[in-house]
Amino acid sequence: MQLHLAAAVVLSLALLLPSSTTAHNITRILEKNPDFSSFNHYLTVTQLAPEINRRETITVCAVDNAGMSDLLSKHLSLGGIRNVLALHVLLDYFDAKKLHQITDGTALAATMFQATGSATGSAGFVNITDLKGGKVGFAPQDNGGVVSATFVKSVEAIPYNISVIQISSILPSPEAEAPAPGPSQLNITALMSAHGCKVFAETLLANPAEQTFEDNVQSGLTVFCPGDDAMKAFLPKFKNLTAAGKQSLLEYHGIPVYQSMPGLKSSNGVTNTLATDGASKFNFDVQNDGTDVTIVTKLVTAKILNTLIDEQPLAIYQVDKVLKPKELFKGVLPPSPAPAPGPDADAESPKPSKKKHKSPPAPAAPSDSPADAPDGDVADQTTNGAARFNAGGYAAIFFTLCFAFLQL
C-alpha cells in the first residue's frame, strides 16, 4: 500500500516538473553543412525559413550549391525564387524509410507553394515515386510528370515533425518560375511623403536602399515607415552611422513579402528584413498588443499608427518610432559618471579648490519603452536564471521525496 502511495506521489511530482518541447530550426539544421549555404540563404531572404519553423509534419527537399546555381542562372525575381523553393517544402513527413515504402509505389504531396494560393490547379503538387534500383524520383505536377530529381540522402530527421532530405537538383516548374503579376504603377516615396513620412522618404531617396525597396515591390514588399517627428528626432544618430550602417538601417524597415494587417496579426513572431544577410540577422518580432500591432526590436518597440497603402503586392504602414536594430546600436551606452573623490582626498584638502569642476554626465533620459534600453537583455538573463532556479528546485524536491518514499 505504501509503495502504491509512493508511486502515486512520485508520478504527481513528475507532472509538476517543467516539460520541454523540441522546436526545429531549418536554418540551424542546414548551416551544419556548407554545401547547402546558398539554399539556406535564400530560405532566409525569401521569408520561407520562419514559415517552415512554424509548421509541424513537414519535409524540406534541399539542393546543394550547384543546384542553386542552376536556379539563380535563370535570373528570377525574389518572388519567383520564393515560389520555386516553396515547391521544395512538402506538407507531409517523408524520411528515408518512408520514401522507400510508399504505398503503391507513388504518392502525391502538397507543397508550401500550393498552400500559398499562388499555384493554380495541381501546379503546387509533387509526385514522389519509388523507382527501380533503390531510387526515389520527384516530379512536379506541372512538369508533364517527368522525374526531374532523385533522392540523394537524409540530412536530418525529427520523426513526424521535420525531415530534411537532399535531392539531386531543383524541381522545375513553369508555374512557380513565372513572373508575378506586375503591381500598379506606384511611387513608394511619393506615397510616404503624402502621408506623414516625408523625412523618411527623402532619406531613402538619397540612399542605395531605395533601389532595394523598388526591386522587391514586384515580388511582395511591406514597409514600416517612421512618422516625420520620429525620423527628425533620429536624424542626428542616423548621420553618425557609416554608409553601410545607413543602408542597413533603412532596409531594416522593410520585409520582402506582402503582409496585410490581418496577415501581420496572424503571423506573429520573428521576421527577417531586407537588411537580413546570413550572420547579420537584422530581424524583429511582430506582436499584437490588444488591437494594436507592434514591431519589437531589442532596443525599441514601435506601434503601427496608420496604413498608407495595403494593395497586394505592397503594404506601407506608418510607425511611431524608428526601428533600431541591435546590430547597429547594441552596446552604445551613455558615458559613465566620474568617480567620486574618496574620504582621504577630502582630508588632505582642507581648503576648497578654486578650479571649476565639471559635473558628472547626467544619467540617460528614460526611453519611451523599456525595450529601448541598450541593456534590455538583462531582464531576459534574470528571467532565465529564475527559470533555472525553479527547475532545479523542483528536481531537488522530486528526488528527495523519491528517496524518502523508497525508505518506507
Side-chain angles (χ1 to χ4, degrees):
M1 179 66 178
Q2 289 178 334
L3 288 177
H4 288 306
L5 179 61
V9 173
V10 169
L11 178 60
S12 299
L13 287 172
L15 293 175
L16 290 175
L17 291 174
S19 61
S20 60
T21 56
T22 303
H24 59 260
N25 186 311
I26 185 61
T27 302
R28 292 178 183 172
I29 291 172
L30 292 174
E31 68 186 7
K32 298 175 187 176
N33 192 329
D35 289 341
F36 301 123
S37 60
S38 182
F39 186 84
N40 197 15
H41 169 75
Y42 279 97
L43 286 184
T44 298
V45 299
T46 60
Q47 292 285 308
L48 283 173
E51 292 188 27
I52 292 171
N53 292 340
R54 283 194 289 267
R55 286 180 176 267
E56 295 182 2
T57 315
I58 201 166
T59 302
V60 178
C61 303
V63 296
D64 61 15
N65 293 338
M68 283 300 296
S69 294
D70 293 339
L71 173 63
L72 298 178
S73 66
K74 296 181 180 182
H75 303 292
L76 303 178
S77 66
L78 192 62
I81 295 173
R82 174 186 167 87
N83 288 341
V84 172
L85 295 186
L87 189 68
H88 291 67
V89 183
L90 313 180
L91 304 182
D92 199 352
Y93 180 85
F94 291 94
D95 56 15
K97 181 179 179 180
K98 185 175 178 180
L99 286 173
H100 290 287
Q101 295 179 345
I102 295 175
T103 304
D104 298 327
T106 185
L108 188 64
T111 69
M112 192 172 283
F113 178 46
Q114 186 271 334
T116 63
S118 300
T120 61
S122 60
F125 290 85
V126 171
N127 244 317
I128 306 173
T129 306
D130 194 4
L131 304 173
K132 292 182 179 180
K135 293 184 177 181
V136 178
F138 296 79
Q141 279 290 89
D142 65 336
N143 193 39
V146 177
V147 173
S148 51
T150 55
F151 171 71
V152 177
K153 65 181 181 181
S154 175
V155 177
E156 187 161 329
I158 302 175
Y160 310 109
N161 184 355
I162 183 172
S163 171
V164 182
I165 63 175
Q166 180 183 357
I167 59 175
S168 60
S169 58
I170 285 288
L171 301 176
S173 167
E175 178 95 6
E177 296 173 13
S184 56
Q185 296 301 314
L186 297 172
N187 187 318
I188 297 177
T189 52
L191 280 167
M192 294 178 184
S193 296
H195 295 86
C197 298
K198 184 177 181 180
V199 180
F200 184 83
E202 291 174 346
T203 307
L204 187 61
L205 280 170
N207 192 278
E210 192 269 340
Q211 189 60 50
T212 306
F213 280 75
E214 293 289 348
D215 290 344
N216 281 274
V217 174
Q218 184 177 19
S219 57
L221 176 67
T222 303
V223 182
F224 302 97
C225 179
D228 285 339
D229 290 342
M231 193 64 191
K232 284 177 184 177
F234 179 75
L235 281 180
K237 291 183 179 179
F238 179 79
K239 292 176 181 177
N240 287 333
L241 294 173
T242 63
K246 290 176 181 177
Q247 181 171 349
S248 293
L249 182 126
L250 293 172
E251 291 176 350
Y252 188 63
H253 287 73
I255 59 177
V257 290
Y258 163 75
Q259 284 278 27
S260 65
M261 183 59 74
L264 289 172
K265 291 181 177 180
S266 64
S267 60
N268 283 192
V270 178
T271 301
N272 291 321
T273 68
L274 294 175
T276 300
D277 183 16
S280 301
K281 292 184 178 180
F282 281 101
N283 55 28
F284 51 63
D285 282 315
V286 178
Q287 296 182 4
N288 284 345
D289 183 10
T291 59
D292 297 324
V293 176
T294 56
I295 311 300
V296 182
T297 80
K298 288 289 185 181
L299 304 178
V300 68
T301 296
K303 183 170 67 174
I304 294 179
L305 299 177
N306 187 28
T307 300
L308 277 59
I309 183 173
D310 184 356
E311 179 182 323
Q312 194 170 14
L314 175 65
I316 304 178
Y317 303 102
Q318 181 183 350
V319 292
D320 63 348
K321 297 177 185 175
V322 174
L323 305 179
K324 293 191 293 185
K326 66 177 183 179
E327 287 81 358
L328 295 180
F329 296 99
K330 190 174 179 65
V332 180
L333 300 174
S336 300
D344 294 339
D346 292 338
E348 295 175 2
S349 304
K351 294 182 180 180
S353 172
K354 294 183 180 179
K355 293 182 180 180
K356 294 182 179 179
H357 294 278
K358 293 183 178 180
S359 299
S367 58
D368 295 337
S369 165
D372 290 346
D375 55 349
D377 290 340
V378 173
D380 294 337
Q381 294 168 3
T382 305
T383 302
N384 292 337
R388 288 194 295 270
F389 175 81
N390 289 338
Y394 278 123
I397 294 171
F398 174 78
F399 289 114
T400 300
L401 289 174
C402 286
F403 179 80
F405 279 109
L406 290 174
Q407 300 302 312
L408 297 176

